[in-house]
Amino acid sequence: MGLLTFKLGGVHPNPHKETSSMPIEDMPVPGELAILLSQHIGVPCEPVVKKGDVVRAGQVVGEVRQGLGVSVHAPCAGKVVAIGQAGHPVKVSVPAVILDTRTRPEGASSDEVMAGECAQSHEDWRAMTREEMVSRIREAGVVGAGGAGFPTHVKLSPPSGMVITELLVNGAECEPYLTADHRVMVECAADVVEGIAMMMKILGISHAIVGIEDNKPDAVEAMRRAVDDAALDGGQIDVIALKTKYPQGSEKQLIYALTGRKVASGALPASVGVVVQNVSTVLAVAQAIETRQPMVRRVVTVSGSGIRRQGNFRIAVGTRLRDIIDFLGGTTPDVKKIIIGGPMMGFATSDLDTPVTKTTSGIVFLSSREVDRHQGSACIRCGRCLDACPMGLESMTVALYVEAGRGKETTPFGVMDCFECGSCAFVCPAHRPLVQLIRLAKQAVRSSGAGLRK
Ligand code: SF4
Ligand code: SF4
């Protein structure tokens, strides 16, 4: 039997995993941080500090008073110099707490300067109740680190009536260039396995499966070794090598690859008995439960030939792109495009004041030779986009409808099931901007009130 994978579609972009063997380095905290008040799916945070306040490392600076969401915290001690605006990878600009990290609270010792850096006592999670563990995850502001930032404590509290049998841990990291999850699995495998065991306890289950693409054999080995060394109290964690195929790490494709179960259109993974968590989220959960460490730093891959030094860096949330560029010696003269995330699903930005958020897995600096500069032309009806789509969607038809001003009529083509993986655009010989056209179709459907599935 071959390696497990999803059935429909999929593509094989150049992996560009040049940073996969580069160990995680700590980037020093810059003199100023821009901590976005909108870093998760749900209601944005309200600031709970004001200009002139001096805050301690790990202090809450923004919270959600009502509705879905979690707090944001100060990664570092400092003085609030403004409640202003800062660039957002998707929403262009959102409110932010601007923190001068050179001003420290009176009496703060040097080990209080950076949240999570000081030696903290590890508490025994096995003695905690599930409710206490979930509450620590919420208080630490943990959100899905590999995607859009859904609050993790909510994902770990599935709707009543839904029976969860497995936790699936996403270590696929199928996006080209990105290797942050890879390094987390290699360097922090024991903590990730501990986090998996914690989540199994919260969910009341005894089985978890970690899916890792087979282009990361060292991660598979490190995770298997960590599982062998862990005290699992009768639980079972399987570490499975998956076929390397994009988009292996998307939720529905991963669920199918690891369990053979299909999630219906608009349904939650819980409807087929699973909860899916990304490895970096699992690590944040372990730290939140054991040491109450808030989600204030994360591992980010900085890659592409448009930056002078590449690698994997542990970066404070709120660190601006321009400070990262300075730290790495600048961009190269032929840098053409900066993408937050990976090149398949990430978002291009030219605003160097955009900061790292809890969900920034990578920043890719593409040079002119790495950017597709072809002009889009008319569809030649070759059908390659349909063959590549993991959801079996006719993106060419959706695109034609949008161009004809009929975007809101695209629900029958399943446009709302498109998760914008970019596989269709990747294979299109006419270089059609299919993902952009699909986004326009989705907007048209949403504003017409038709096709809402969730
Ligand atoms: S972007 Fe959407 S339509 Fe295109 S391949 Fe991905 S899921 Fe299919
Ligand atoms: S791949 Fe491009 S050219 Fe071919 S059918 Fe799809 S949209 Fe048309």
Side-chain angles (χ1 to χ4, degrees), residues 39-40 45 60-64 69-73 138-143 294-295 358:
Q39 298 193 38
H40 55 252
C45 291
V60 173
V61 295
E63 64 183 23
V64 173
V70 286
S71 300
V72 291
H73 305 71
R138 182 178 52 75
E139 282 163 16
V142 180
V143 301
M295 198 172 189
K358 299 175 188 182

Side-chain angles (χ1 to χ4, degrees), residues 20 181-189 218-220 222-223 225:
S20 64
D181 287 347
H182 184 166
R183 293 312 308 175
V184 163
M185 288 186 283
V186 169
E187 296 180 43
C188 316
D218 50 347
V220 174
M223 288 295 294
R225 233 185 358 248

Side-chain angles (χ1 to χ4, degrees), residues 385 388-393 395 417-425 434-435 438:
C385 52
C389 179
M391 301 301 292
L393 307 179
S395 52
D417 285 330
C418 168
F419 58 97
E420 300 172 20
C421 70
S423 299
C424 51
L434 294 170
V435 179
I438 289 168

Side-chain angles (χ1 to χ4, degrees), residues 79-225:
K79 183 175 183 178
V80 178
V81 289
I83 307 295
Q85 292 283 129
H88 184 283
V90 183
K91 298 176 187 165
V92 186
S93 174
V94 298
V97 173
I98 313 297
L99 192 69
D100 178 351
T101 64
R102 291 155 293 208
T103 312
R104 292 175 186 169
E106 224 171 281
S109 61
S110 57
D111 64 356
E112 275 183 274
V113 171
M114 182 77 197
E117 260 187 3
C118 45
Q120 298 179 59
S121 58
H122 284 234
E123 292 176 61
D124 180 12
W125 59 271
R126 288 186 169 81
M128 295 177 199
T129 63
R130 287 184 202 170
E131 291 70 26
E132 190 180 354
M133 293 165 82
V134 171
S135 136
R136 284 182 181 222
I137 295 168
R138 182 178 52 75
E139 282 163 16
V142 180
V143 301
F150 195 82
T152 301
H153 69 282
V154 179
K155 230 176 166 187
L156 289 173
S157 312
S160 60
M162 288 195 172
V163 180
I164 303 299
T165 50
E166 272 103 15
L167 168 68
L168 305 185
V169 180
N170 187 354
E173 201 167 49
C174 57
E175 267 273 5
Y177 292 91
L178 305 190
T179 60
D181 287 347
H182 184 166
R183 293 312 308 175
V184 163
M185 288 186 283
V186 169
E187 296 180 43
C188 316
D191 289 334
V192 173
V193 169
E194 193 82 345
I196 294 171
M198 293 176 195
M199 287 187 175
M200 287 162 70
K201 174 173 169 177
I202 291 169
L203 292 165
I205 59 173
S206 57
H207 189 204
I209 313 174
V210 185
I212 306 172
E213 282 192 338
D214 70 331
N215 61 357
K216 307 171 196 42
D218 50 347
V220 174
E221 197 192 318
M223 288 295 294
R224 284 186 178 153
R225 233 185 358 248

